[in-house]
PDB file of all heavy atoms in Angstrom:
ATOM      1  N   LEU B  26       1.343  78.714 -21.125  1.00 98.00           N
ATOM      2  CA  LEU B  26       1.768  80.105 -20.915  1.00 98.00           C
ATOM      3  C   LEU B  26       2.900  80.410 -21.867  1.00 98.00           C
ATOM      4  O   LEU B  26       3.590  79.450 -22.368  1.00 98.00           O
ATOM      5  CB  LEU B  26       2.193  80.332 -19.483  1.00 98.00           C
ATOM      6  CG  LEU B  26       3.435  79.587 -18.952  1.00 98.00           C
ATOM      7  CD1 LEU B  26       4.723  80.414 -19.160  1.00 98.00           C
ATOM      8  CD2 LEU B  26       3.203  79.149 -17.517  1.00 98.00           C
ATOM      9  N   ALA B  42       2.112  85.653 -20.832  1.00 98.00           N
ATOM     10  CA  ALA B  42       0.704  85.526 -20.982  1.00 98.00           C
ATOM     11  C   ALA B  42       0.347  84.068 -20.605  1.00 98.00           C
ATOM     12  O   ALA B  42       1.128  83.151 -20.713  1.00 98.00           O
ATOM     13  CB  ALA B  42       0.343  85.800 -22.452  1.00 98.00           C
ATOM     14  N   PRO B  57       9.788  95.693 -11.430  1.00 88.00           N
ATOM     15  CA  PRO B  57      11.269  95.777 -11.302  1.00 88.00           C
ATOM     16  C   PRO B  57      11.751  96.054  -9.928  1.00 88.00           C
ATOM     17  O   PRO B  57      12.873  95.658  -9.568  1.00 88.00           O
ATOM     18  CB  PRO B  57      11.670  96.878 -12.326  1.00 88.00           C
ATOM     19  CG  PRO B  57      10.344  97.234 -12.987  1.00 88.00           C
ATOM     20  CD  PRO B  57       9.262  96.710 -12.213  1.00 88.00           C
ATOM     21  N   VAL B  76      -9.303  78.713 -24.083  1.00 98.00           N
ATOM     22  CA  VAL B  76      -8.066  79.216 -24.843  1.00 98.00           C
ATOM     23  C   VAL B  76      -6.943  78.169 -24.509  1.00 98.00           C
ATOM     24  O   VAL B  76      -6.495  78.169 -23.362  1.00 98.00           O
ATOM     25  CB  VAL B  76      -7.644  80.622 -24.410  1.00 98.00           C
ATOM     26  CG1 VAL B  76      -6.511  81.181 -25.418  1.00 98.00           C
ATOM     27  CG2 VAL B  76      -8.811  81.515 -24.442  1.00 98.00           C
ATOM     28  N   ASP B 197       4.828  76.727 -51.193  1.00 89.00           N
ATOM     29  CA  ASP B 197       4.348  75.334 -51.332  1.00 89.00           C
ATOM     30  C   ASP B 197       5.047  74.550 -50.224  1.00 89.00           C
ATOM     31  O   ASP B 197       6.319  74.501 -50.152  1.00 89.00           O
ATOM     32  CB  ASP B 197       4.757  74.835 -52.699  1.00 89.00           C
ATOM     33  CG  ASP B 197       4.191  73.413 -52.936  1.00 89.00           C
ATOM     34  OD1 ASP B 197       3.031  73.182 -52.361  1.00 89.00           O
ATOM     35  OD2 ASP B 197       4.774  72.683 -53.568  1.00 89.00           O
ATOM     36  N   VAL B 228      13.816  67.950 -28.236  1.00 98.00           N
ATOM     37  CA  VAL B 228      13.226  66.957 -27.310  1.00 98.00           C
ATOM     38  C   VAL B 228      11.740  66.913 -27.490  1.00 98.00           C
ATOM     39  O   VAL B 228      11.179  67.918 -27.673  1.00 98.00           O
ATOM     40  CB  VAL B 228      13.702  67.373 -25.818  1.00 98.00           C
ATOM     41  CG1 VAL B 228      13.097  68.747 -25.479  1.00 98.00           C
ATOM     42  CG2 VAL B 228      13.160  66.254 -24.735  1.00 98.00           C
ATOM     43  N   THR B 241      20.066  66.610 -35.402  1.00 94.00           N
ATOM     44  CA  THR B 241      20.394  66.685 -36.844  1.00 94.00           C
ATOM     45  C   THR B 241      21.782  67.431 -37.074  1.00 94.00           C
ATOM     46  O   THR B 241      22.302  67.830 -36.107  1.00 94.00           O
ATOM     47  CB  THR B 241      19.287  67.624 -37.519  1.00 94.00           C
ATOM     48  OG1 THR B 241      19.417  67.645 -38.853  1.00 94.00           O
ATOM     49  CG2 THR B 241      19.326  69.022 -37.024  1.00 94.00           C
ATOM     50  N   LEU B 246      21.972  71.492 -42.380  1.00 70.00           N
ATOM     51  CA  LEU B 246      20.693  71.997 -42.311  1.00 70.00           C
ATOM     52  C   LEU B 246      20.691  73.492 -42.916  1.00 70.00           C
ATOM     53  O   LEU B 246      19.745  73.827 -43.578  1.00 70.00           O
ATOM     54  CB  LEU B 246      20.216  72.168 -40.852  1.00 70.00           C
ATOM     55  CG  LEU B 246      18.795  72.161 -40.518  1.00 70.00           C
ATOM     56  CD1 LEU B 246      18.019  70.981 -40.947  1.00 70.00           C
ATOM     57  CD2 LEU B 246      18.487  72.328 -38.956  1.00 70.00           C
ATOM     58  N   SER B 334       5.475  77.681 -14.499  1.00 98.00           N
ATOM     59  CA  SER B 334       4.634  76.439 -14.756  1.00 98.00           C
ATOM     60  C   SER B 334       3.137  76.709 -14.523  1.00 98.00           C
ATOM     61  O   SER B 334       2.747  77.498 -13.732  1.00 98.00           O
ATOM     62  CB  SER B 334       5.054  75.217 -13.812  1.00 98.00           C
ATOM     63  OG  SER B 334       4.926  75.658 -12.341  1.00 98.00           O
ATOM     64  N   SER B 350      22.618  75.180  -0.694  1.00 70.00           N
ATOM     65  CA  SER B 350      23.834  75.703   0.038  1.00 70.00           C
ATOM     66  C   SER B 350      24.096  74.702   1.228  1.00 70.00           C
ATOM     67  O   SER B 350      23.261  74.002   1.674  1.00 70.00           O
ATOM     68  CB  SER B 350      23.600  77.112   0.521  1.00 70.00           C
ATOM     69  OG  SER B 350      22.383  77.220   1.179  1.00 70.00           O
TER      70      SER B 350
END
Side-chain angles (χ1 to χ4, degrees):
Chain B
L26 66 92
V76 188
D197 189 26
V228 58
T241 190
L246 207 58
S334 58
S350 50

